[in-house]
Amino acid sequence: GVFEAVDIDDSDEAFAATWARSLAINLQSAADLCRHAVLHFQQHGGGRIINVASRAGHRGDSPKHWHYAAAKAGMVAMTKTIA
């Protein structure tokens, strides 16, 4: 995972780039791996997925880490949905 700060006053480009990187690393990559696992499980009789998120996914995080909390909350919701 990645935990990089971005300030609300940073440039639009910096803000968007930090969000995109955080979501790609902290959520999309896990979604891609889970998809492959589920496809494998469907062909081979099941399996288990264990994803590790963060307290930030439940409680939020600092003002410079909205993107991190959003990604981790997405991880929690994704895992519940797969289950």
Side-chain angles (χ1 to χ4, degrees):
V2 63
F3 186 74
E4 299 170 334
V6 66
D7 195 278
I8 194 170
D9 294 327
D10 285 350
S11 70
D12 291 346
E13 294 80 15
F15 193 81
T18 303
W19 269 79
R21 179 172 157 78
S22 183
L23 292 173
I25 293 170
N26 292 325
L27 182 57
Q28 186 65 54
S29 62
D32 294 342
L33 291 170
C34 285
R35 177 178 172 260
H36 288 290
V38 169
L39 291 171
H40 178 82
F41 296 160
Q42 288 173 338
Q43 295 175 0
H44 297 93
R48 303 274 190 279
I49 294 174
I50 300 171
N51 285 322
V52 179
S54 167
R55 67 165 180 81
H58 299 281
R59 297 174 28 191
D61 211 296
S62 75
K64 293 185 178 190
H65 293 94
W66 298 356
H67 53 289
Y68 180 80
K72 295 305 180 172
M75 173 80 79
V76 171
M78 176 185 68
T79 304
K80 289 178 180 181
T81 301
I82 292 169

